[in-house]
Amino acid sequence: MQRKFTKTTFLRHLCGGLLLLSFSTTASVAMTGDPEIGKALAARGDGSGAPCMACHAIDGTGNAFAGFPSLAGLDAGYLLKQMRDYNSGARVSAVMQPNVDGYSDEELVHLAAYFASLPPAPPASPTVSEDVLALGKKLAERGAWDQYIPPCSSCHGPDNQGVGTDFPAIAGQHANYIAQEIRAWRDGKRSNDTVQLMTGISERLTDEQIDAVAAYLSTLPMRAE
């Protein structure tokens, strides 16, 4: 059941999230870790699960068909937060939790630094119609304000390259993964976003809009930091 979401409530949530954005950027910059140690940990695994490369590939670019995200080039603070959230139960995944719960927090810091240091994956070639891409571009760059849907770039930054710990780069991310996660927020299966911004937005997106914006974002280049 969708919650009632007035314009005033929506703007309060959006502004609150954007205010936190500046603090998260500072936290991300403060992140430290050794990519070489992280590389060894990624190849070894946590001692009980599969090594990271089994799902995220040896170059960290994931698996588009299976919906495993590309981690290469993402903000280290964001990556660390997600792994910590898996371990705390704030983010639930039957695949991820058994594969990170054996790492210490210090090891997670090194893993985050390693994946952040990798060059991002090249953008995907379009596999949908021009009309679908046009709808996705509109949602990503201008939003759909008649539905109280802001553009993705209002939180994820110019060209959706990401901003700090809470707003990851989504340009160049696999379309299957983007769509999967938006639906997870919409369906109440994910809720570890800043002040539930994605939860509120996802509830107002149609399936057509979700697939369109995911397809469009996957075709954008993610620049290395």
Side-chain angles (χ1 to χ4, degrees), residues 130-142:
E130 289 296 323
D131 287 345
V132 172
L133 286 178
L135 173 59
K137 181 177 182 179
K138 174 182 179 295
L139 291 165
E141 297 180 0
R142 302 195 304 277

Side-chain angles (χ1 to χ4, degrees), residues 98-109:
N99 292 313
V100 296
D101 60 0
Y103 288 119
S104 69
D105 196 68
E106 180 181 356
E107 289 174 328
L108 295 181
V109 172

Side-chain angles (χ1 to χ4, degrees), residues 26-175:
T26 302
S28 178
V29 172
M31 278 292 307
T32 58
D34 188 326
E36 286 303 312
I37 296 175
K39 181 178 181 180
L41 291 168
R44 186 199 75 192
D46 74 339
S48 62
C52 303
M53 67 181 64
C55 293
H56 297 287
I58 194 167
D59 60 357
T61 58
N63 184 314
F65 180 77
F68 298 135
S70 175
L71 308 181
L74 291 179
D75 178 79
Y78 173 77
L79 292 169
L80 178 60
K81 179 185 185 299
Q82 300 311 303
M83 291 187 286
R84 284 173 170 168
D85 284 355
Y86 285 126
N87 280 340
S88 71
R91 183 175 177 182
V92 177
S93 168
V95 175
M96 277 300 299
Q97 281 161 318
N99 292 313
V100 296
D101 60 0
Y103 288 119
S104 69
D105 196 68
E106 180 181 356
E107 289 174 328
L108 295 181
V109 172
H110 296 313
L111 279 170
Y114 168 62
F115 284 109
S117 73
L118 297 176
S125 299
T127 58
V128 296
S129 71
E130 289 296 323
D131 287 345
V132 172
L133 286 178
L135 173 59
K137 181 177 182 179
K138 174 182 179 295
L139 291 165
E141 297 180 0
R142 302 195 304 277
W145 288 104
D146 56 328
Q147 297 173 254
Y148 299 134
I149 297 172
C152 304
S153 57
S154 65
C155 289
H156 292 276
D159 300 321
N160 289 291
Q161 297 294 312
V163 182
T165 299
D166 292 305
F167 302 105
I170 49 177
Q173 186 57 266
H174 304 310

